[in-house]
Each structure stands twice: as structure tokens, then as C-alpha cells.
Amino acid sequence: MQSVLAVEAAPSIENNPEFIKLLIQETELQEARGCFFIYLSREAAGFAKELLAIGELFEEIHPLVSLLSGIKGPAFYDFGLDAESGGVYLFTQSLSAFSISSEDAVTKQMALFQMEEHLVFTADEDNQFLFFTEKHNEELIRKIANAYQIEADFLVLDK
């Protein structure tokens, strides 16, 4: 899991291919996804923001996590973007991430069935599953884990 930044441009940028070309040439762009321009560093994202602001096209900067693979939940496209590499980007401002553990595999699987409809994305990072849900579901996930007597450990995404 890698932290990246998406600089969001106004939708009108799609009608301005010269400005997109400028961003590609002058910034350290990782990739572009519609109106979102993905950067690996704050400095690169800041420079893109400045250029977009000059062109009156800047909207917002979003923190993201980049993940290589996993399973998309029903609300994935409300909180994520597909990456060119085949991976995904998730907007972390509205999400919580957690892992679960239990000695009993059956109990763990039953809890996962209960949680499944609330998951935005399930990632397999280094043979450990990470689950992403909307922040407002965090307490619900804790209650499900408690009911099944398993551990749900939430991660800090905004480092």
C-alpha cells in the first residue's frame, strides 16, 4: 500500500488538451484518470496545483492509497479509481481500513460474510487482507467483530 495524491481539475479540462499536455510535460505525473492527476510526492502535486490554479482549473487535492490487487465492493466507484497498472486508487478521506484476526477460521469467515456488504474494497497486501469501508461504518464493523468475538484492528490512513 502506497500513499499518493490526486490533484483534481475542473471537468472543463477535458476540453483543453493543451493544458493536459502541459501537465504531462512539466510535472512528475504518475498517471491521469479523467479529471484526476496522480502524483507520488507532495511537491509534484503542489506544482500541478499551481499550474491548474493559473489556468483556473484547480478543484482539490485528495490523499489516496495505491493498491495492487483486490476485490471491489459494491460502492467501489464512489471511493476509488482503476489504475493503468491494473491496481486501484482509493480516496482515503472517506474510508477506514482494518484487518481482522481470529483463531477460529469458521467464525472469521462468518463475520466476513456479515461485513461483506459494507466493504468498499478488499486488498491482499503481502499475504495480509486489508478491508476498506466507509468511515461511518467503522462502529458497525467493530460491533460485528465483537459479536463474532474476533479482532478488528483499524489502521491510520492519513499519515
Side-chain angles (χ1 to χ4, degrees), residues 1 68-69 123-130:
M1 182 167 62
L68 299 176
S69 64
D124 182 2
E125 295 282 311
D126 301 322
N127 293 321
Q128 178 170 346
F129 288 98
L130 294 176

Side-chain angles (χ1 to χ4, degrees), residues 17-83:
E18 290 300 316
F19 209 94
I20 294 172
K21 186 177 179 181
L22 174 71
L23 284 173
I24 292 169
Q25 291 175 344
E26 299 298 324
T27 66
E28 297 173 20
L29 182 65
Q30 179 70 18
E31 72 176 277
R33 308 305 292 158
C35 297
F36 297 98
F37 297 86
I38 313 297
Y39 295 93
L40 300 179
S41 72
R42 289 196 184 282
E43 295 77 22
F47 184 54
K49 173 186 174 181
E50 289 176 23
L51 290 176
L52 288 166
I54 291 167
E56 297 180 359
L57 293 167
F58 174 73
E59 292 284 323
E60 190 173 350
I61 293 181
H62 304 275
L64 308 174
V65 291
S66 173
L67 299 157
L68 299 176
S69 64
I71 301 166
K72 297 172 186 170
F76 172 80
Y77 288 104
D78 292 336
F79 302 96
L81 301 168
D82 290 312

Side-chain angles (χ1 to χ4, degrees), residues 4-151:
V4 298
L5 295 164
V7 179
E8 182 180 3
S12 60
I13 196 166
E14 292 181 353
N15 301 324
N16 195 337
E18 290 300 316
F19 209 94
I20 294 172
K21 186 177 179 181
L22 174 71
L23 284 173
I24 292 169
Q25 291 175 344
E26 299 298 324
T27 66
E28 297 173 20
L29 182 65
Q30 179 70 18
E31 72 176 277
R33 308 305 292 158
C35 297
F36 297 98
F37 297 86
I38 313 297
Y39 295 93
L40 300 179
S41 72
R42 289 196 184 282
E43 295 77 22
F47 184 54
K49 173 186 174 181
E50 289 176 23
L51 290 176
L52 288 166
I54 291 167
E56 297 180 359
L57 293 167
F58 174 73
E59 292 284 323
E60 190 173 350
I61 293 181
H62 304 275
L64 308 174
V65 291
S66 173
L67 299 157
L68 299 176
S69 64
I71 301 166
K72 297 172 186 170
F76 172 80
Y77 288 104
D78 292 336
F79 302 96
L81 301 168
D82 290 312
E84 286 177 0
S85 65
V88 300
Y89 297 111
L90 296 175
F91 293 87
T92 59
Q93 291 168 316
S94 303
L95 297 176
S96 291
F98 64 97
S99 62
I100 58 173
S101 58
S102 173
E103 297 294 321
D104 184 353
V106 173
T107 302
K108 182 177 174 180
Q109 188 59 50
M110 295 305 292
L112 276 174
F113 285 141
Q114 193 81 36
M115 294 173 183
E116 196 170 71
E117 69 184 274
H118 306 290
L119 299 179
V120 171
F121 192 76
T122 301
D124 182 2
E125 295 282 311
D126 301 322
N127 293 321
Q128 178 170 346
F129 288 98
L130 294 176
F131 305 95
F132 294 83
T133 189
E134 295 175 61
K135 279 190 179 182
H136 69 83
N137 287 333
E138 192 171 314
E139 186 60 31
L140 174 63
I141 296 297
R142 290 182 194 282
K143 287 180 180 181
I144 293 170
N146 189 43
Y148 285 92
Q149 299 178 341
I150 65 170
E151 293 293 321

